Amino acid sequence: MAALLVKKDLRPLEDIIDTMNIHAWLQECIHDAEGRYAKLITKLTVTVSMIELEKIAFEFGKLHTVGKVSVQDAYKFFDDIFLNGMPCDRVNIITQQDNSCFSWEQTHDIHAEYWLAFQGYPETYYKLRKQVMLGMLDGSGLILENPDYLHYSIKKENQCTQ
């Protein structure tokens, strides 16, 4: 399975990028990465329980903790880590931003198509994503609120409402 899902192209970046059409090249890379992730996790759910995958996701997040940062910096860290399309897709819209709370919503679900293409469940992506986020915030003094898969808040204690 690894041979199908892992890409190792060690050529210099200038040899890989289509400089005549960078946007399309990046879009193809995103499509490829999203598809490989959906395929991998969908295959794993046949033999690994969702509870176990969520534990693994949380532990992965802990390995990549945000540390002691502001709510704005925690959001930036998330935005740098999680793939939400191209900036022109305008997936994440900030809805609240102050010193104690940073909230955003996703304008649409750009991940579902990849999961459905491999007979997977888009909810699986969001469950695992949430666990990675919680792991990343572990020990930071920040809390994640995620009432549904489109709305998120990072906050200090209970100082923010959505």
Side-chain angles (χ1 to χ4, degrees), residues 27-94:
Q27 193 67 41
E28 179 56 35
C29 289
I30 290 169
H31 180 79
D32 178 61
E34 289 263 14
R36 285 184 293 118
Y37 180 64
K39 184 176 185 177
L40 171 66
I41 299 300
T42 299
K43 285 185 175 291
L44 283 175
T45 58
V46 173
T47 57
V48 181
S49 75
M50 195 59 202
I51 292 170
E52 188 60 29
L53 288 173
E54 287 182 49
K55 287 179 187 175
I56 293 167
F58 183 82
E59 291 302 318
F60 178 82
K62 284 176 63 174
L63 293 173
H64 304 279
T65 183
V66 299
K68 298 287 185 185
V69 298
S70 68
V71 293
Q72 291 85 357
D73 287 342
Y75 170 79
K76 171 92 170 82
F77 194 82
F78 284 176
D79 198 42
D80 288 346
I81 298 294
F82 294 101
L83 186 57
N84 289 307
M86 300 279 282
C88 59
D89 294 329
R90 298 187 192 321
V91 173
N92 289 338
I93 301 294
I94 297 167

